[in-house]
Amino acid sequence: MSCRIVALFLLLVICLQTAWAQELSLSSESALAWIKKMTDAPRQHNFSGTFVYYADSQIETSRIVHKIDKSGEHEKIEVLDGMPRIVFRHNDEMRCYLPESKKVYTERRWFRKFFPDYILYPADGIDKNYHITEARRERVAGRESQVLSLIPRDSLRFGYQFWIDSESGLLLKVTVTHGNEVIEQFAFAQLEIDSEISSEQVNPDVSMISNDWKITNLTASLLNKGELKWEITSLPVGFRKLVEMKRNLTEKPTLVDHIALTDGLATVSIFIEPIDKNESPMAGLFSSRGAINIYVRTVEANKITTIGEVPLETIKLIGDAVIKQK
């Protein structure tokens, strides 16, 4: 396909996206109030339960315990299927335990979402990119819920449905859709809200690890504007930059540049690292799991990995816009 045909195709896509966006009105105040209630709920309620993650015909079950006190949020998430994993969180400080390999990773949560804390806090700008409607009422895990439908205003992002607990506002279930296809789902199978939770239930037991365990602190250094030697020439409509940083990631010998983006709901990360002399990175589009897609390209002996909760076309659009500053 020639460059001229590609350019005409992209122009057509942009025109169609603009026309689509004009057809959708602003979301109602009551629908936006449900989004705010859902976003606030994990910071206001104790809860514990079991939830199921479904993607690519695979199911993974996890148990969660969440406690609120004067020092903020405390949480424990234990994956019950496959390789054992336990994540403890106090506000944005996380510790991930991997019993089989006897490893512990500590990391600060900059923007990562964990069900049911699904939307970046505070919930800003979602209505600009999604038309939100109150669909119906349904029961999930024995609780009455309000269902919200989030229709993307263009083809750059996925659609969503939220099942929100009518009383507490806690998210009970979410589906991510691409057209008419459900590509990812989280849902509580059992849940208790506002029950008494002890500190022991959300803190690591000192007997969990012994001296032969390896503890790795994954640190990050925030960068000021202009410090990063890379830039994004143009962001897709509705996306904004969250943060730029240098990070040490698992199994990486050198620091990695990291740019994080969001449209208020979906998040996209760009990782830039020098190519190892012994490495031959594969470039191209990759579908990972569920709503997560990956795109890898090389620029001047650097590997640029773009990963996020958006369609492959959007991942490529963002990844191709990353250039080295002159």
Side-chain angles (χ1 to χ4, degrees):
M1 185 181 292
S2 70
C3 294
R4 179 178 177 81
I5 294 175
V6 171
L8 289 172
F9 173 76
L10 290 176
L11 179 61
L12 176 61
V13 169
I14 292 170
C15 292
L16 288 174
Q17 290 170 356
T18 303
W20 186 4
Q22 291 173 348
E23 292 177 3
L24 297 174
S25 61
L26 293 175
S27 304
S28 68
E29 290 296 325
S30 59
L32 293 175
W34 277 109
I35 290 290
K36 185 181 186 306
K37 186 175 183 179
M38 184 188 96
T39 308
D40 292 340
R43 293 153 186 84
Q44 299 174 344
H45 296 277
N46 287 354
F47 58 88
S48 62
T50 303
F51 65 85
V52 175
Y53 171 69
Y54 170 82
D56 302 330
S57 301
Q58 298 183 17
I59 295 177
E60 184 177 87
T61 308
S62 299
R63 182 164 45 232
I64 185 170
V65 182
H66 182 94
K67 176 181 174 65
I68 298 291
D69 62 19
K70 293 180 180 179
S71 67
E73 296 180 71
H74 305 263
E75 189 170 85
K76 174 185 177 182
I77 300 178
E78 181 178 5
V79 179
L80 303 179
D81 302 322
M83 182 181 71
R85 286 157 286 162
I86 308 173
V87 176
F88 292 91
R89 178 172 68 87
H90 178 212
N91 295 327
D92 289 327
E93 302 300 323
M94 302 190 306
R95 298 175 69 89
C96 179
Y97 289 74
L98 305 176
E100 286 189 353
S101 57
K102 294 187 176 182
K103 293 180 179 179
V104 180
Y105 293 99
T106 70
E107 185 178 14
R108 178 179 174 82
R109 184 181 73 164
W110 294 100
F111 58 89
R112 189 180 303 172
K113 302 178 298 186
F114 287 93
F115 179 80
D117 191 2
Y118 200 79
I119 294 182
L120 297 177
Y121 184 83
D124 293 331
I126 294 179
D127 186 44
K128 295 178 182 178
N129 301 308
Y130 303 86
H131 178 61
I132 308 167
T133 60
E134 297 163 87
R136 58 192 180 277
R137 294 279 180 139
E138 284 187 0
R139 274 166 49 87
V140 176
R143 301 186 67 92
E144 183 77 13
S145 73
Q146 172 64 55
V147 184
L148 295 187
S149 291
L150 284 76
I151 303 171
R153 295 186 182 274
D154 55 36
S155 61
L156 296 175
R157 52 208 104 229
F158 294 128
Y160 296 82
Q161 279 201 318
F162 294 148
W163 284 254
I164 303 172
D165 182 57
S166 300
E167 183 178 347
S168 68
L170 197 70
L171 181 62
L172 304 179
K173 177 180 175 181
V174 56
T175 61
V176 185
T177 58
H178 195 194
N180 296 322
E181 180 187 4
V182 174
I183 57 175
E184 184 174 271
Q185 177 176 286
F186 289 90
F188 274 110
Q190 176 273 325
L191 177 65
E192 293 184 16
I193 301 177
D194 290 332
S195 58
E196 190 66 30
I197 294 175
S198 66
S199 297
E200 288 75 18
Q201 291 177 269
V202 289
N203 290 320
D205 188 335
V206 292
S207 65
M208 283 182 62
I209 64 174
S210 54
N211 292 333
D212 57 343
W213 281 57
K214 180 182 178 182
I215 300 177
T216 302
N217 299 314
L218 301 176
T219 59
S221 301
L222 293 180
L223 300 176
N224 296 319
K225 186 177 181 180
E227 282 190 88
L228 190 67
K229 302 306 178 185
W230 297 84
E231 62 180 337
I232 305 173
T233 54
S234 61
L235 285 175
V237 174
F239 283 88
R240 60 182 173 86
K241 192 178 296 182
L242 272 175
V243 69
E244 294 180 353
M245 65 181 87
K246 283 188 175 291
R247 302 179 62 181
N248 69 318
L249 298 180
T250 310
E251 313 301 336
K252 297 293 183 182
T254 59
L255 292 177
V256 174
D257 293 331
H258 181 189
I259 306 172
L261 312 172
T262 185
D263 69 349
L265 178 53
T267 56
V268 176
S269 284
I270 303 162
F271 298 99
I272 306 162
E273 58 185 307
I275 298 174
D276 187 274
K277 293 180 180 179
N278 299 320
E279 183 182 8
S280 299
M282 293 179 60
L285 289 167
F286 305 95
S287 177
S288 181
R289 185 178 183 187
I292 301 296
N293 286 307
I294 302 171
Y295 174 53
V296 180
R297 59 187 280 254
T298 59
V299 176
E300 298 183 21
N302 290 275
K303 181 170 71 172
I304 300 175
T305 303
T306 307
I307 177 171
E309 310 155 318
V310 291
L312 285 169
E313 296 83 355
T314 311
I315 283 291
K316 187 175 188 304
L317 190 67
I318 294 172
D320 285 340
V322 179
I323 63 170
K324 199 166 187 178
Q325 292 184 11
K326 296 181 180 179

